[in-house]
Amino acid sequence: MNALRAFDSFRGGDFRVWFLAIVRNTSFTLLRRRKSLSGSTSQESLEVGAEIAADCEVYDPQAIAIRAADAELVRRAIAALPDALRETLVLREMEGLSYKEIGKIAGVPIGTVMSRLARGRMQLQALLMEMDQPKPGKSVEEGVR
């Protein structure tokens, strides 16, 4: 709705970048409001298994369960990243935006985008490795996977 209200401010260029900047700013505003009202951010529950089962060619329950656990592990690791790194990583890896587009959306230079992306990837890798390790005192079967 904010984009529709601000449509007359669009001055040409890449519409996707303009639109995603509005979405980003609106999201941050809503998150700040929620955080101030409840004291913490809310987390939406996702039906991981349902989306994975729909994409699988083979309906093997064990394979679906493993993929769902892996997807949930990645979601938790991404959610654990600092906001700036998570935003950059999601815009690049999930939305497929260029460094220049991400820089325009986030309002930072391309060098900062590259730096955040490199740090985000390293932190994500470290988090995934840490989260995938079995908890002390548990057998391998009782671990994360």
Side-chain angles (χ1 to χ4, degrees):
M1 294 303 296
N2 287 346
L4 288 175
R5 280 187 233 121
F7 190 73
D8 60 336
S9 70
F10 180 63
R11 302 286 182 238
D14 191 341
F15 178 78
R16 184 176 184 197
V17 170
W18 176 82
F19 180 74
L20 286 175
I22 291 173
V23 170
R24 173 186 185 264
N25 293 334
T26 303
S27 297
F28 282 151
T29 301
L30 290 173
L31 286 172
R32 277 191 294 274
R33 284 184 194 158
R34 282 186 189 164
K35 191 172 184 176
S36 67
L37 290 176
S38 68
S40 65
T41 58
S42 65
Q43 183 179 17
E44 296 179 20
S45 62
L46 297 174
E47 293 288 333
V48 177
E51 71 183 41
I52 292 172
D55 292 338
C56 291
E57 293 179 8
V58 178
Y59 296 103
D60 176 15
Q62 184 177 7
I64 292 170
I66 290 170
R67 285 188 191 104
D70 288 345
E72 181 57 28
L73 184 71
V74 171
R75 280 190 182 98
R76 285 192 334 225
I78 290 172
L81 290 172
D83 291 343
L85 301 182
R86 181 176 56 244
E87 173 187 42
T88 304
L89 195 65
V90 167
L91 289 173
R92 177 67 183 163
E93 304 300 343
M94 295 177 182
E95 296 298 326
L97 297 180
S98 70
Y99 294 169
K100 184 178 180 181
E101 292 170 323
I102 296 168
K104 285 182 182 178
I105 291 167
V108 297
I110 291 176
T112 303
V113 171
M114 293 188 296
S115 165
R116 286 179 181 177
L117 192 56
R119 284 194 332 258
R121 286 173 176 160
M122 287 189 319
Q123 284 187 25
L124 181 62
Q125 181 182 19
L127 283 167
L128 287 170
M129 288 172 39
E130 178 184 315
M131 294 168 84
D132 198 32
Q133 297 299 315
K135 304 291 183 223
K138 292 186 177 183
S139 67
V140 174
E141 292 82 23
E142 294 177 288
V144 175
R145 283 181 93 204

